[in-house]
Amino acid sequence: MSDTESQESGQLNFDFKAFIFRVISYWKWIALALILFIYIVYHQNIRREFPYTLTSQVSIQDDKNPLFTSNTSLIFNYGGISGKVQELVLNLKSRKHHEKVVDSLNLHLNYLKQGRFYKTDIYGAQPFRFIEADSAQQVLNIPIKISFTSPSRFNLEFNFEDITSVITQNFITKRVKSVPVTSGVFKKTYSIDEDINLPFLSGKFTLRPEYQFKSGDEYFLQFKEFNATVSSFNSSFNVLNDKNSPLLTLVLTNKNKAKIVDYLNTCTFILDRDQLIKKNEFATKTIAFIDEQLARVKGQLTTNADSLNDYKKKNKIFDIRQESSILSGKIEDLKRNREELRKSRVSIDILENYLVNSDDFTNFPAPALEGITEGNISSNVSQIIALSVRKSNLEKSLKSNAAVFLDIDRKIKALKTVLFENISAVNKTIDSQIKSINGRIGSLENSYSFLPEQQQELQAIERRYLLNEATYNLYLAKRGEADLIKASNVSDIQIIEPAKDTGQGKNTVNLNIRYVFAVFAAFMPFVLLGA
């Protein structure tokens, strides 16, 4: 018989029964392996910490201010509701936004308590708060043990075993630096509300009155590096938005449910606040500009009023004679026309001031074009807004040195140059009309030369006073308009469903499959030995 036939015969005559008995002969070792592997899997399962996932919902509305004029409503919120939704989604996902949320809630500071297997985050349930000192360096990544000896006294303990320096961070400036420490265990007793001034920890502990202490309670405080904290929240955060839908669903996963609730609600609050501030930006700048003009005109008005009163008292003149009333009426009609032109001039000055002092035109000033009928100005402003909105959206996804930004900036600069030329031309036209009216007023005022000298001088003083008064009232009215628009602005963000703890469970998974793998792992070595 050949070797090949012998091998085939051996394979066909494999003694399965003998194989089973050989495997069973290792039953003691199999039982021990089963116990060991199941024990390991059991402890892995009970030590597994599952997170929570909560959501909140907001709706993006196109809430335009009802006080906007027809001119401005054509350009305000350029891009419509769809563009606004995408802009806010990008804002919510941006690192800058999450930095504001982490800073607002001080989430770089973790409150912990020792559990059965690991330290548990007790954010929202901690019986005390740590108030950080301004511009202080706080130790990073080392748990700080707090052991209460009484309701008002506690031991502060740092484990610096085999450590000669620690990494600290200032959470105001975000500066990180190394601080030398003495190797060993640092322990010191403090009182509640007592200032702690250590090179690696500065601040004080305050009690939350709704909690009661038990003697011997132990807690831990741990600072995490700011950028790492922001990254961890940003990576576990998501925004869901169906196409063409104004509804945004904010989703966050974390091991502490109270932290999720606070984070999502603060995230919405900061988005709402920043959006309204941006919406009011022009009104705020306009008010500041007008306040400067009001202060200047008010000084002139006060001086002229004092001169008028002093002259009347000195010469005992309190009224203008009847013969000057006709001339005064004609002059006042011309002055009213002149004030209308000056009102348009002030509107153009406000627009020019905004163009000179602003870099962001995504939300162009609502009252900026009020009183301006020049079509070229409105058209160029609309083009600037379109380019600014495009730039703002691209900034959230491209680097700042991308070539497209240079192209957009060049186009905006060119449009601003054309706008300044338009404004200059309109100003020349207005100035020419005002000059013509001034000539007619001057001609009529020459007629006062036939009036008595005292009345001529009184007329001159009164004209200066009335001119400053009209200018002052004009600026005051403009300021009132800006104040009214700012006060009546409402946010475009409406909270539909805030984040809330309603007893949601953890994101658990079935871990029993691990026991099946443990059984296979226990049997496999002995199966191979038996074979």
Side-chain angles (χ1 to χ4, degrees):
M1 183 181 295
S2 66
D3 292 341
T4 303
E5 291 175 345
S6 298
Q7 291 176 1
E8 290 177 356
S9 175
Q11 291 175 354
L12 292 173
N13 295 325
F14 175 74
D15 192 345
F16 184 76
K17 183 177 180 181
F19 166 74
I20 293 296
F21 279 107
R22 281 197 300 272
V23 172
I24 293 176
S25 67
Y26 299 114
W27 69 270
K28 293 181 180 179
W29 295 105
I30 293 174
L32 181 61
L34 280 173
I35 294 172
L36 178 61
F37 289 160
I38 290 175
Y39 177 82
I40 292 173
V41 169
Y42 169 75
H43 278 275
Q44 286 180 341
N45 287 352
I46 62 175
R47 283 175 169 79
R48 177 72 179 270
E49 189 177 10
F50 293 98
Y52 298 90
T53 297
L54 271 65
T55 64
S56 67
Q57 290 185 323
V58 297
S59 177
I60 311 303
Q61 307 296 327
D62 196 10
D63 289 328
K64 295 181 180 178
N65 195 316
L67 299 176
F68 291 167
T69 64
S70 58
N71 286 337
T72 58
S73 64
L74 293 175
I75 62 171
F76 192 73
N77 290 337
Y78 189 93
I81 186 66
S82 178
K84 186 184 298 182
V85 168
Q86 294 308 310
E87 179 183 356
L88 292 178
V89 168
L90 291 173
N91 281 335
L92 282 167
K93 292 182 177 180
S94 69
R95 182 180 182 85
K96 181 179 179 181
H97 182 74
H98 288 276
E99 286 178 350
K100 293 179 182 179
V101 180
V102 171
D103 249 341
S104 176
L105 295 173
N106 292 327
L107 293 178
H108 57 268
L109 174 57
N110 294 309
Y111 298 93
L112 309 170
K113 190 171 184 179
Q114 184 64 52
R116 181 182 175 188
F117 302 111
Y118 41 74
K119 292 181 178 65
T120 304
D121 187 345
I122 57 171
Y123 173 91
Q126 79 277 10
F128 58 87
R129 289 189 180 93
F130 181 73
I131 302 175
E132 302 173 48
D134 293 338
S135 302
Q137 297 290 135
Q138 315 290 3
V139 63
L140 295 179
N141 302 321
I142 294 180
I144 306 166
K145 187 176 181 180
I146 300 101
S147 305
F148 283 89
T149 57
S150 73
S152 61
R153 300 280 291 174
F154 61 92
N155 293 325
L156 200 64
E157 186 176 328
F158 297 82
N159 187 358
F160 294 145
E161 293 289 346
D162 301 324
I163 297 176
T164 57
S165 65
V166 293
I167 303 300
T168 64
Q169 183 169 29
N170 182 321
F171 291 99
I172 301 296
T173 64
K174 307 302 183 287
R175 178 191 176 195
V176 176
K177 73 174 186 178
S178 177
V179 173
V181 296
T182 302
S183 182
V185 177
F186 175 92
K187 189 173 183 180
K188 191 172 181 180
T189 302
Y190 289 93
S191 298
I192 292 296
D193 294 322
E194 179 183 352
D195 289 334
I196 300 171
N197 294 306
L198 299 172
F200 41 82
L201 182 71
S202 294
K204 64 180 180 179
F205 287 86
T206 61
L207 292 179
R208 299 178 68 180
E210 65 270 29
Y211 290 92
Q212 298 295 325
F213 281 98
K214 295 179 181 178
S215 180
D217 278 354
E218 293 182 351
Y219 300 91
F220 293 89
L221 205 65
Q222 188 172 25
F223 291 90
K224 292 291 186 181
E225 200 270 332
F226 180 78
N227 288 330
T229 303
V230 173
S231 296
S232 67
F233 278 99
N234 200 357
S235 62
S236 59
F237 177 87
N238 196 16
V239 181
L240 306 179
N241 173 239
D242 294 333
K243 188 176 181 181
N244 298 324
S245 170
L247 186 68
L248 304 181
T249 301
L250 282 58
V251 184
L252 181 65
T253 300
N254 192 272
K255 294 177 181 178
N256 183 286
K257 198 186 296 187
K259 189 174 287 187
I260 299 177
V261 171
D262 284 356
Y263 195 94
L264 289 178
N265 290 336
T266 303
C267 190
T268 305
F269 168 78
I270 290 177
L271 180 71
D272 179 75
R273 180 198 65 189
D274 289 353
Q275 196 268 342
L276 190 56
I277 289 174
K278 187 175 182 181
K279 205 171 184 180
N280 285 331
E281 184 176 2
F282 172 72
T284 302
K285 291 183 177 180
T286 300
I287 291 170
F289 172 75
I290 292 176
D291 283 344
E292 293 177 4
Q293 304 305 314
L294 281 174
R296 177 182 59 81
V297 176
K298 185 178 181 181
Q300 297 174 354
L301 184 61
T302 302
T303 301
N304 290 325
D306 292 341
S307 298
L308 180 61
N309 292 330
D310 291 344
Y311 187 85
K312 285 183 176 182
K313 290 178 181 178
K314 180 179 178 180
N315 297 280
K316 299 182 179 180
I317 299 176
F318 300 99
D319 206 351
I320 300 177
R321 294 174 62 92
Q322 181 66 33
E323 56 262 31
S324 66
S325 61
I326 295 176
L327 289 174
S328 296
K330 292 180 179 179
I331 291 174
E332 288 305 314
D333 287 340
L334 289 172
K335 285 182 179 179
R336 277 192 290 271
N337 293 335
R338 184 174 62 185
E339 288 311 309
E340 288 298 321
L341 292 171
R342 284 178 172 167
K343 184 176 181 180
S344 297
R345 190 72 157 77
V346 169
S347 296
I348 292 175
D349 287 342
I350 292 174
L351 173 61
E352 187 175 21
N353 176 70
Y354 180 80
L355 291 170
V356 170
N357 296 312
S358 298
D359 296 320
D360 181 12
F361 304 100
T362 52
N363 275 338
F364 205 82
L369 300 183
E370 185 177 359
I372 300 176
T373 57
E374 178 61 36
N376 288 335
I377 293 179
S378 300
S379 174
N380 288 327
V381 167
S382 297
Q383 293 181 59
I384 288 177
I385 293 169
L387 290 170
S388 295
V389 169
R390 184 186 173 201
K391 180 180 178 181
S392 177
N393 290 335
L394 290 174
E395 282 176 342
K396 297 177 175 66
S397 56
L398 298 178
K399 293 183 178 180
S400 59
N401 58 355
V404 66
F405 293 130
L406 296 176
D407 183 57
I408 292 175
D409 289 338
R410 180 182 57 77
K411 291 179 180 178
I412 290 177
K413 185 177 180 180
L415 286 169
K416 286 177 68 175
T417 301
V418 174
L419 258 178
F420 287 133
E421 292 175 356
N422 295 151
I423 289 172
S424 177
V426 172
N427 283 342
K428 287 180 180 178
T429 301
I430 293 175
D431 290 342
S432 175
Q433 293 174 335
I434 291 176
K435 184 177 179 180
S436 174
I437 291 175
N438 285 338
R440 295 169 64 188
I441 291 175
S443 176
L444 290 172
E445 286 178 340
N446 288 334
S447 301
Y448 280 106
S449 61
F450 300 104
L451 297 176
E453 184 178 349
Q454 285 184 340
Q455 291 186 27
Q456 291 182 45
E457 189 172 351
L458 179 62
Q459 281 282 351
I461 296 173
E462 284 189 331
R463 282 196 300 275
R464 287 197 300 271
Y465 173 79
L466 292 174
L467 175 61
N468 282 288
E469 183 182 41
T471 304
Y472 184 82
N473 289 336
L474 174 60
Y475 277 118
L476 201 61
K478 283 289 186 182
R479 193 191 194 285
E481 292 173 9
D483 277 333
L484 191 59
I485 288 173
K486 183 176 180 179
S488 58
N489 267 341
V490 294
S491 173
D492 296 326
I493 299 169
Q494 182 180 358
I495 300 175
I496 303 298
E497 187 70 39
K500 187 176 181 181
D501 181 0
T502 57
Q504 299 95 325
K506 294 182 177 182
N507 303 336
T508 57
V509 294
N510 187 1
L511 299 178
N512 290 331
I513 189 67
R514 291 183 173 185
Y515 291 108
V516 176
F517 288 111
V519 172
F520 275 111
F523 272 99
M524 188 55 64
F526 304 103
V527 170
L528 295 176
L529 285 174

